[in-house]
Amino acid sequence: MTTSSMKRAAAAALVAALSVAALSSARADITDYEFRLVQTDIKQGNGAIVAVRLVDKRSGKAVPDAVIFATRIDMAPDGMETMAAPIEALPSTEPGVYRFKTNLMMAGGWRLSLGAKIQGETGTIENKLVLKAVP
């Protein structure tokens, strides 16, 4: 092997190593994501629709296609954590927005707890969001 071919091989190896390092550092951490309420005040009653947006905090962009596997809504903000309501996932109306139908039987503070997996990321995102049911 000539000196120039050894230099080319070394340069190619360096480029490959730097490419792998750049790709692995480009991945996000699960803490780079969060759910945000689309509206904080929701009309009280059966059939209330709660919408959340999953956001990449680094870019502010919505994240579609997450798999939401845990949902709970209760009145913990008003000191009634045991008062929970049924909650059901609805089809999304736009990418990165996740909608749920529930029964906000009482006016006041409600806590929405979500757990999700984001495609291509390791770990689980878990958020607790506080909303207000209004008459």
Side-chain angles (χ1 to χ4, degrees), residues 9-53:
L14 179 61
V15 167
L18 290 174
S19 296
V20 169
L23 285 175
S24 64
S25 66
R27 290 196 76 178
D29 187 82
I30 201 69
T31 59
D32 290 330
Y33 301 95
E34 71 180 358
F35 284 103
R36 296 179 184 164
L37 289 164
V38 172
Q39 273 185 276
T40 56
D41 290 356
I42 311 290
K43 180 126 177 80
Q44 171 193 349
N46 196 12
I49 305 297
V50 179
V52 297
R53 181 173 283 112

Side-chain angles (χ1 to χ4, degrees), residues 45-112:
N46 196 12
I49 305 297
V50 179
V52 297
R53 181 173 283 112
L54 179 57
V55 176
D56 182 333
K57 295 188 285 187
R58 298 165 301 159
S59 66
K61 292 184 180 179
V63 179
D65 303 323
V67 178
I68 298 177
F69 61 86
T71 55
R72 177 179 163 87
I73 192 158
D74 59 47
M75 290 197 77
D78 284 356
M80 295 181 276
E81 186 171 355
T82 58
M83 180 173 273
I87 187 165
E88 163 191 350
L90 296 174
S92 180
T93 56
E94 64 182 278
V97 174
Y98 303 86
R99 297 170 0 127
F100 305 93
K101 180 179 173 183
T102 189
N103 181 3
L104 301 177
M105 57 203 88
M106 289 179 60
W110 289 81
R111 175 180 66 186
L112 175 63

